[in-house]
Amino acid sequence: MTVTPFISRSPDLTGQDAPCPEISLPENPVAIAQELAAEFAATAAERDRQGGTPQAERDRIRASGLLQLAIPTVYGGAGASWITVAQVVREIAKVDASLAHVFSYHPLGVIIPQLYGSEAQERYYYSETARQNWFWCNALNPLDRRLALTRDDSGYRLNGTKSFCSGAKDSDYLPTTAVVAGEEAFTVVVIPTSRAGITCHDDWDNIGQRQTDSGSVTFNSVTVYPEEILAPRQPGHPFQTFRACLAQLNLANIYVGIAQGALAAARDYAQTQTRPWLTSGVELATEDPYRLHRFGELWVSLSGAEALVDRAADQVQAAWEQGWSLTEQQRGDCAVAIATAKVAATQAGLAISNQMFDLMGARATSRQHGFDRYWRNLRTFTLHDPVDYKLREVGNWVLNQQYPTPGFYA
Amino acid sequence: MTVTPFISRSPDLTGQDAPCPEISLPENPVAIAQELAAEFAATAAERDRQGGTPQAERDRIRASGLLQLAIPTVYGGAGASWITVAQVVREIAKVDASLAHVFSYHPLGVIIPQLYGSEAQERYYYSETARQNWFWCNALNPLDRRLALTRDDSGYRLNGTKSFCSGAKDSDYLPTTAVVAGEEAFTVVVIPTSRAGITCHDDWDNIGQRQTDSGSVTFNSVTVYPEEILAPRQPGHPFQTFRACLAQLNLANIYVGIAQGALAAARDYAQTQTRPWLTSGVELATEDPYRLHRFGELWVSLSGAEALVDRAADQVQAAWEQGWSLTEQQRGDCAVAIATAKVAATQAGLAISNQMFDLMGARATSRQHGFDRYWRNLRTFTLHDPVDYKLREVGNWVLNQQYPTPGFYA
Amino acid sequence: MTVTPFISRSPDLTGQDAPCPEISLPENPVAIAQELAAEFAATAAERDRQGGTPQAERDRIRASGLLQLAIPTVYGGAGASWITVAQVVREIAKVDASLAHVFSYHPLGVIIPQLYGSEAQERYYYSETARQNWFWCNALNPLDRRLALTRDDSGYRLNGTKSFCSGAKDSDYLPTTAVVAGEEAFTVVVIPTSRAGITCHDDWDNIGQRQTDSGSVTFNSVTVYPEEILAPRQPGHPFQTFRACLAQLNLANIYVGIAQGALAAARDYAQTQTRPWLTSGVELATEDPYRLHRFGELWVSLSGAEALVDRAADQVQAAWEQGWSLTEQQRGDCAVAIATAKVAATQAGLAISNQMFDLMGARATSRQHGFDRYWRNLRTFTLHDPVDYKLREVGNWVLNQQYPTPGFYA
Amino acid sequence: MTVTPFISRSPDLTGQDAPCPEISLPENPVAIAQELAAEFAATAAERDRQGGTPQAERDRIRASGLLQLAIPTVYGGAGASWITVAQVVREIAKVDASLAHVFSYHPLGVIIPQLYGSEAQERYYYSETARQNWFWCNALNPLDRRLALTRDDSGYRLNGTKSFCSGAKDSDYLPTTAVVAGEEAFTVVVIPTSRAGITCHDDWDNIGQRQTDSGSVTFNSVTVYPEEILAPRQPGHPFQTFRACLAQLNLANIYVGIAQGALAAARDYAQTQTRPWLTSGVELATEDPYRLHRFGELWVSLSGAEALVDRAADQVQAAWEQGWSLTEQQRGDCAVAIATAKVAATQAGLAISNQMFDLMGARATSRQHGFDRYWRNLRTFTLHDPVDYKLREVGNWVLNQQYPTPGFYA
């Protein structure tokens, strides 16, 4: 497929003539993800302590072909379904929630021009991402209105700051939301991260998701070309606002992955390291009646969350395939299913990442194992938006048959 | 299909020559169940107060064709899957857990000869049930070893008592477990309920499942013909012991149905009857933030249980289709999935049948509504076997990869 | 002490000259309550089934001297503290929540003239109640504004209806709240239940608290003498509004009593009736690890609630002793402590009345035991006012240091 | 009071002639603790990150006089009750659980000779601790049997290792449990930490309680003088085994302190930093209905735990005052009350240290605040011994009226 040059004036875009990486489309993405996960697992606890940018791991993702997943085949990508994307993300989340986080915002980023832009923009960004294997990030944070888009004689400029810009560091492309004077709604802009005036700060030092680089990005008189300002085809259309559904499902999916990883870690440790309690009357920790009961309870909770996330993924894929035919009702049903799954995943994950210690015993608190990172990661990430308002949304549908209002969080 | 006379000596069996009811095989069983449910709903609260035998409703079920569901088409039945059976049972359980209970033990009964008997017994009982539209019950209670099967010169005799014989009253056929002197394992016997010497007692007066007639049956020198003593083809085979899986799934399915019915009742009442609390600051009860939140929480819990029961039903049907090729592993995977679903259904159901009152308010405790019957039914039925041991089984699989030991409860 | 004739015109008041019952002041009220409770326990399950008025038991309470408890010694009463009153109520609640309910509204009633009336009214109602051993009830329901107090040439009249009038049937005195045209605040009126035009209806038929006669009372042109209209000394004073605190504490106290009774019943049954589960590996049900664990969990929950209710009772008594010196802060601290205790009692009680069945097993659902009445009673009574708004009040104090707004429920 | 030289041969004991620190007995220990806590709070988050020994803070405790608390006045100490000790510990725990931990094992240490030793040993260790202001630690870990006490011609020797020796580093005195060949029961030895051959390792690097130095101590042919080997007066006496009760109560008390500190931190942050959620409809985060509700729920849980710990402290003090007259029943009642309180404190604390983040919002996960340390500390410390076995003990008392078996954990 030939890609028509889109932004001729952009000097900082890696052009068609630049040597492109040779990336094969992944044939079995889940298997690839499992291989990567096995690698990442070896260093996950140590990298959690360090924080910072997981450069080597990001490069391994780049080389794996997994950045091609969500790009339609017509634009040169792998055309994977959201079900597959979710499985891939979950495999990584089982061992490293930070990497799952930054990876997952790539497919969530690369679709932005399709939803918020013109057909030409959709084509350009998809094709060039496929060709040049760009790694996208997330700088959309709609709770932060400090970034302004202005126009003067020389063109458009971005000035200001965005917080919570996950994966911006080392990314190739950066979608962001800017305020235009006099307008309530954000304008979405997609520019190369290397554009002059953009600074990704090393100011993410939080208790969890420590290698997500979710710090701030400042924009100092950053040039924006008109073609980089997304021109919505159908503002407010259920399909346009569908990205919030995808993002929410992604959160739920990562929560489930973290929970699965935590329970597996507890199981492995309890099988091999834990001693029976002195008054338990059993010879092996694996025979302890209360340990078995807790593993049972946590498994029930996890299985429910997993089933709901999988169900929601099926609905989401079906909705996605509707494209611009997606109805409000179909979108609403998805949003309710996703919110339901996200709450269940939050509850199951927090229970597991807490109680895994009861399953393993006191010596498992040694810092070498880093078992607290499951809780720290999940606790941090589950605050993305409040679970109580998710519950309210679900309840409003159950009681009043009202769908969640489409927005950045539903 | 011609059915070869099976038990020539049996004078009390309704023979081939007897006029058989004309029952159509149900084309859309779920729709039929919904129609029946709508009827049953009108009198459910009143019948719960009365207890006793739901004769009229049992006759409606007989006439509906739903007794044919689980009978293979080759024997003249409807050949419905366990997925369909579960849906039918759940529709009834939403409005009347007693009727769901007694109905559901019919398909669980009619398959007993296939699993525990010879090929001839399988053929006979299926065919005649299809032809004569027999309504089976459940008199298997393996915790009660008071029923003895003996042989003297005149043949076999049953003497003793069985407790918890759901649906025995007004049933046509009665499968039961008897102790033979010197043998640990039960012998399964299937005889007509009308056989001389059998008395179904009116001694079921419990707080829930009040129209299930789950009382005791006494057997006073009851004749048993040799052909009525099931002759297992492959004792201990994973397929032979699979009925426990079906029964456990059925319990989980009914629990979910009760929970769905309760939440729907609470929703309808809250929409139409409940007043906002005086310090709530809202004008309608349906806008109350805490009510919305609780509806959300209960929905999340219910959705998870529902998803797990549906998943388990899919697995069960696939396992069932394996027949005598079913492996220990396939059976074990089913058993774990079912136990997981049953725990989730128990938890969701108890939460809903309790909190539905918080959703509706004080006036909803008026006895005319009978809203407490959801809790009484579920609380009674969830004691069938202890949830704590279900959790232990699940945990033992998670931690030790050991499947539940096949038995009457797993 | 000589009581000055208060209402000379009232022909239906049992005057000073009427023969008064000979009632001894109780020396050991808790022991008396325990004796009564032992009697009441024998018939509690049966009376729960019947519903209606517990006439014989009410008469036993009358004869016991316990109606004198809350009446100050200066007026001829027993002058017991609220701590003692709470203990007495709880002893009865352990075996019969309905009787605890109707009894407890007597001390809550007899203090109304002290809080809402003049000094003369305080003196009159206390003294005459002491002398004539009147049994008061509760007809205050502030959510029901259908009762009107009007004045014409012949004097004051009550017309209308009050719902949820616990204990009105067979009561001697009836305090109620009436609407006067043009006034938002209620006027409190205290009249003899036998006054012409008052009808206590037999329309309480709810799922719990079945012998509380909490039905409706209609007033048909009922004469009210001016002296029966309470004349507040200090409207809005923290002491005047303190009755809501007492009533809320009483609710919490009864919830705890129900929970204690339920756990004791479960313990007794499990010790003597329950069989070990067949896969438990223990010989006695009392050795089952999960049963021990659940008894432990429920005990922890109950003990916490009990400790909080007892603490609150100490605070309440200290506040009560302040009388008209009670400050807003002291009242507020009490209100927070009571709300905290009431939530804990609600949670513990619902957990126990649900899980007691897991502790006892399936056979405990037999209706002869009536074990479901603990849940039905508690579930009904805990809806008195919503637990979610109690939590909100507590949270508002924790987060914002704001006391609950004094009213009928705080 | 004159202290008779106890161990004339001990060259490494700071003798009577050595200059002793001038420590005043604390008049208001709780106020002193609050002052110290205010100091410690300023650096708690930073010191948590560093781990290691809180040398400066330990010295501040030494200088505060608080080491004198549990020493009877007859031996020159402050003679404070366990109620006061608990309050002091809790004040510190609110801001720094590590310091509360190492401080609290001082009073728990200094009483060991009284319970496990002779009268002369009781006198010596109390008096000299009072005089020289020794800081004790905890090296008793009864789950670790690797430390051996042997005798050869030159006397007694300790060889081996003890793990989980909280506060050993920088301590003055070290009580430990050693195995003597052929004996099941431990021998308790109390020696100066500076004794030749003792090495306190810097090998405590766990996820919580990071400044407790709970690492291992190795003993390399360490000389033990006969007088340092405790000679029990009444082995197995309820008073001798009472230290386990004190230690368990101390754990519960610290858990409550952590929980109180966490909830206060959340309140302060929510009041000043948290923004209302964009769909909440309120202008201030402090008005959010769900935030108020959660603060309410957590407060109820915390208040219950606090009340139970306080009740248990009262019982413990009364039991302590019985001394060698303490009966099995009195000890048993204490043990049950303590276990009950400990479970409640565990549950409340884990709920609060988890949900405090929901109360504060996403930005509160910034590592500068160190808010995760409440959870890490509590999660680590609550694994001291399994909560499930505590529940079993409580349940065994409720159901079977059996007291916990006296041991190192009950």
Side-chain angles (χ1 to χ4, degrees), chain D residues 21 62 110 126 157 206 216 224 245 255 266 280 306 318-319 327 335 350-351 386:
Chain D
R62 277 187 170 94
V110 82
Y126 269 141
R157 296 278 168 185
N206 282 44
S216 62
V224 176
C245 294
Y255 301 170
S280 65
E306 196 187 320
T327 65
L350 288 175

Side-chain angles (χ1 to χ4, degrees), chain A residues 206 288 354 365 375 379 389, chain D residues 206 288 354 365 375 379 389:
Chain A
N206 281 43
D288 185 287
N354 265 283
T365 61
W375 179 82
R379 190 60 288 203
Y389 284 92
Chain D
N206 282 44
D288 184 287
N354 265 284
T365 61
W375 179 82
R379 187 63 287 204
Y389 284 92

Side-chain angles (χ1 to χ4, degrees), chain A residues 286-362:
Chain A
T286 50
E287 295 167 345
D288 185 287
Y290 302 121
R291 182 164 284 114
L292 294 174
H293 196 271
R294 273 188 196 264
F295 265 109
E297 277 196 329
L298 296 175
W299 180 260
V300 169
S301 178
L302 177 58
S303 297
E306 196 188 319
L308 291 173
V309 169
D310 288 349
R311 269 196 180 184
D314 290 345
Q315 279 184 263
V316 157
Q317 178 60 22
W320 179 257
E321 290 171 8
Q322 295 294 316
W324 297 99
S325 307
L326 187 69
T327 67
E328 280 187 27
Q329 186 182 334
Q330 289 167 330
R331 188 200 183 283
D333 288 338
C334 270
V336 171
I338 291 164
T340 301
K342 186 162 166 245
V343 173
T346 300
Q347 293 172 338
L350 288 175
I352 289 170
S353 58
N354 265 283
Q355 294 187 42
M356 67 187 293
F357 288 95
D358 295 296
L359 297 172
M360 297 189 292

Side-chain angles (χ1 to χ4, degrees), chain B residues 277 290 294 355 358, chain C residues 248 255 339-340 342-347 350 379 382-394, chain D residues 293 296-297 300:
Chain B
W277 183 242
Y290 302 120
R294 274 187 196 265
Q355 294 186 42
D358 295 296
Chain C
Q248 289 283 313
Y255 301 170
T340 301
K342 186 162 166 245
V343 173
T346 301
Q347 292 171 339
L350 288 176
R379 188 61 287 203
T382 50
L383 298 175
H384 178 277
D385 54 293
V387 70
D388 285 328
Y389 283 92
K390 217 90 258 175
L391 282 164
R392 183 192 172 104
E393 279 177 5
V394 174
Chain D
H293 196 272
E297 278 197 327
V300 169

Side-chain angles (χ1 to χ4, degrees), chain B residues 74-300:
Chain B
V74 65
Y75 299 121
S81 74
W82 288 108
I83 298 166
T84 299
V85 171
Q87 290 171 323
V88 163
V89 169
R90 201 189 286 177
E91 287 303 321
I92 300 174
K94 286 179 187 173
V95 304
D96 192 322
S98 285
L99 288 168
H101 187 151
V102 294
F103 167 68
S104 70
Y105 275 106
H106 170 75
L108 289 172
V110 82
I111 60 162
I112 289 175
Q114 176 178 1
L115 300 181
Y116 288 87
S118 65
E119 217 176 314
Q121 289 172 320
E122 169 184 338
R123 188 186 321 118
Y124 171 75
Y125 285 106
Y126 269 141
S127 303
E128 288 302 299
T129 300
R131 202 170 62 88
Q132 307 198 49
N133 204 40
W134 289 338
F135 202 149
W136 291 51
C137 69
N138 176 34
L140 296 177
N141 182 6
L143 295 180
D144 191 344
R145 297 182 66 87
R146 292 176 296 166
L147 181 61
L149 178 67
T150 54
R151 175 165 207 176
D152 59 19
D153 292 347
S154 63
Y156 292 97
R157 295 280 167 184
L158 277 177
N159 277 288
T161 300
K162 269 289 171 189
S163 57
F164 285 111
C165 296
S166 297
K169 197 105 193 224
D170 181 53
S171 70
D172 302 303
Y173 255 72
L174 183 147
T176 192
T177 55
V179 174
V180 172
E183 292 180 17
E184 175 61 26
F186 279 115
T187 294
V188 182
V189 171
V190 182
I191 49 180
T193 312
S194 58
R195 179 75 47 90
I198 295 179
T199 310
C200 300
H201 296 281
D202 283 324
D203 56 359
W204 177 255
D205 183 17
N206 282 42
I207 65 171
Q209 298 297 85
R210 292 177 49 70
Q211 287 207 317
T212 59
D213 283 312
S214 298
S216 63
V217 173
T218 49
F219 300 77
N220 184 10
S221 198
V222 174
T223 300
V224 176
Y225 298 99
E227 297 90 336
E228 293 171 333
I229 299 171
L230 297 193
R233 273 171 277 188
Q234 300 193 48
H237 186 284
F239 189 57
Q240 195 216 4
T241 63
F242 195 64
R243 185 181 173 280
C245 294
L246 295 169
Q248 289 283 314
L249 178 63
N250 181 54
L251 289 166
N253 190 54
I254 293 180
Y255 300 170
V256 165
I258 295 173
Q260 290 175 320
L263 196 63
R267 180 199 59 208
D268 293 348
Y269 188 95
Q271 281 175 349
T272 57
Q273 305 292 324
T274 306
R275 302 168 187 163
W277 183 242
L278 79 168
T279 64
S280 64
V282 295
E283 295 197 10
L284 296 171
T286 50
E287 295 168 346
D288 184 287
Y290 302 120
R291 181 164 284 114
L292 294 174
H293 195 271
R294 274 187 196 265
F295 266 109
E297 278 197 328
L298 296 175
W299 180 259
V300 169

Side-chain angles (χ1 to χ4, degrees), chain D residues 266-334:
Chain D
R267 179 199 60 207
D268 293 348
Y269 188 95
Q271 281 174 349
T272 57
Q273 305 291 324
T274 305
R275 302 169 187 162
W277 182 243
L278 79 167
T279 63
S280 65
V282 295
E283 295 197 9
L284 295 171
T286 50
E287 296 167 345
D288 184 287
Y290 302 121
R291 181 165 285 114
L292 295 174
H293 196 272
R294 273 187 197 265
F295 266 109
E297 278 197 327
L298 296 175
W299 180 260
V300 169
S301 178
L302 177 58
S303 297
E306 196 187 320
L308 291 173
V309 169
D310 289 348
R311 269 195 180 187
D314 290 345
Q315 279 184 262
V316 157
Q317 178 59 22
W320 179 257
E321 290 171 8
Q322 294 295 317
W324 297 99
S325 307
L326 186 69
T327 65
E328 279 187 27
Q329 188 182 333
Q330 290 167 330
R331 188 200 184 284
D333 288 339
C334 270

